[in-house]
């Protein structure tokens, strides 16, 4: 199974936040010189952040250290407005509201919208229950499969390649919560499943597991025989793939 115990933190740069200009990031870094920010209001004042910049930070959950959760952060920043110089030192003390925290699914949706990647569990871990009836196997387990075994896998399409030198073959990379699976779609199967192969964002692939014996079995692929487009299970989750020709 997957180990969900706490892992060392990985920090993302401010440049990953959609809607946040580089100049805003520079002001945030400069404002750190005066010490920790005691509140979102003080953070906004010291970094000279406008509403658009504050909302972008709240959506990305970048204000988590100053708020209970991203909904609380969004509420707090909505009440912060630029002040005239005469009132620049004025601070407002309002009683905090006990707002409901977003669900894990809502947090995942927000992460994809603002950062393009999940900061919590992978979306496939949230869909395991729905995908279990298709008897799919996690990528981690597929890596133990022998050459020639029938296999099934589900995952987000992260890469899609259709090289001109490959005679119509399409290569896909499916990502789940345990790793990645490389999928090869031959031309005859591409014609049958063209819409799913070229446009699907969450696919379930049935096929044969292949190990390249010339590399000692280290290069592994799933040769597609049947493809099911399960993109509808993602709902509003805005995933993207890197497509190459």
């Amino acid at each position: 199974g997957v180990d969900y115990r706490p892992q060392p933190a990985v920090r993302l740069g401010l440049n990953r936040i959609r809607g946040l200009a580089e100049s805003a990031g520079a002001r945030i870094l400069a404002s750190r010189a005066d010490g920790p920010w005691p509140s979102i209001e003080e953070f906004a004042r010291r970094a000279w952040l406008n509403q658009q910049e504050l909302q972008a930070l709240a959506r990305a959950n970048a204000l988590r250290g100053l708020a209970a959760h991203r909904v609380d952060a969004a509420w707090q920043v909505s009440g912060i407005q630029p002040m005239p110089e005469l009132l620049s030192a004025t601070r407002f003390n309002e009683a905090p509201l006990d707002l409901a925290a977003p669900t894990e699914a809502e947090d995942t949706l927000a992460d994809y919208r603002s950062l393009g990647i999940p900061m919590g569990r992978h979306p496939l871990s949230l869909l395991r229950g729905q995908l279990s009836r298709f008897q799919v196997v996690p990528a981690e387990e597929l890596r133990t499969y022998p050459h020639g075994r029938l296999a099934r896998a589900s995952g987000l399409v992260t890469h899609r390649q259709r090289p001109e030198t490959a005679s119509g073959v399409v290569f896909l990379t499916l990502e789940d919560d345990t790793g990645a699976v490389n999928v090869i779609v031959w031309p005859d199967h591409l014609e049958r499943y063209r819409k799913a192969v070229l446009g699907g964002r969450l696919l379930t692939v049935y096929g044969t597991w292949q190990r390249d014996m010339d590399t000692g079995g280290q290069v592994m692929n799933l040769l597609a025989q049947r493809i099911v487009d399960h993109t509808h299970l993602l709902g509003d989750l805005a995933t993207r793939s890197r497509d190459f020709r």
Side-chain angles (χ1 to χ4, degrees), residues 24-51:
R27 295 198 304 275
I28 291 171
L29 294 178
S31 72
R32 293 170 58 183
D34 295 328
W37 306 291
S39 66
I40 289 180
E41 183 180 9
E42 186 65 24
F43 166 71
R45 301 280 190 255
R46 280 164 48 181
W48 294 93
L49 298 170
N50 60 34
Q51 262 296 309

Side-chain angles (χ1 to χ4, degrees), residues 45-66:
R45 301 280 190 255
R46 280 164 48 181
W48 294 93
L49 298 170
N50 60 34
Q51 262 296 309
Q52 179 181 340
E53 293 161 345
L54 288 169
Q55 289 291 348
L57 290 163
R59 287 193 300 269
N61 210 17
L63 303 178
R64 183 177 179 181
L66 299 173

Side-chain angles (χ1 to χ4, degrees), residues 82-222:
M83 300 292 290
E85 186 174 354
L86 181 64
L87 300 176
S88 61
T90 303
R91 298 295 180 265
F92 298 94
N93 297 315
E94 294 185 348
L97 292 178
D98 185 15
L99 300 173
T103 64
E104 186 175 15
E106 289 170 339
D107 260 335
T108 301
L109 284 171
D111 284 342
Y112 269 97
R113 287 168 179 162
S114 58
L115 299 169
I117 58 174
M119 296 302 292
R121 287 198 293 164
H122 192 279
L124 262 290
S125 67
L126 305 179
L127 295 173
R128 278 289 168 208
Q130 293 169 273
L131 294 171
S132 62
R133 63 192 183 96
F134 301 100
Q135 300 180 315
V136 295
V137 178
E140 183 179 58
E141 185 177 340
L142 281 178
R143 296 184 67 83
T144 68
Y145 271 31
H147 178 77
R149 182 171 176 177
L150 295 178
R152 303 176 179 187
S154 292
L156 300 178
V157 179
T158 59
H159 294 79
R160 211 181 318 251
Q161 300 182 60
R162 193 180 184 185
E164 294 181 1
T165 57
S167 302
V169 177
V170 174
F171 301 93
L172 304 174
T173 300
L174 304 185
E175 179 188 271
D176 69 8
D177 47 327
T178 70
V181 176
N182 295 321
V183 177
I184 297 177
V185 184
W186 295 112
D188 54 340
H189 292 101
L190 172 60
E191 290 307 311
R192 184 175 182 183
Y193 301 108
R194 174 177 292 272
K195 184 177 180 180
V197 171
L198 300 183
R201 294 186 292 119
L202 171 60
L203 301 180
T204 296
V205 178
Y206 301 78
T208 304
W209 192 245
Q210 181 188 63
R211 286 180 176 271
D212 184 357
M213 295 300 104
D214 291 337
T215 62
Q218 295 304 304
V219 176
M220 294 166 276
N221 300 287
L222 180 58

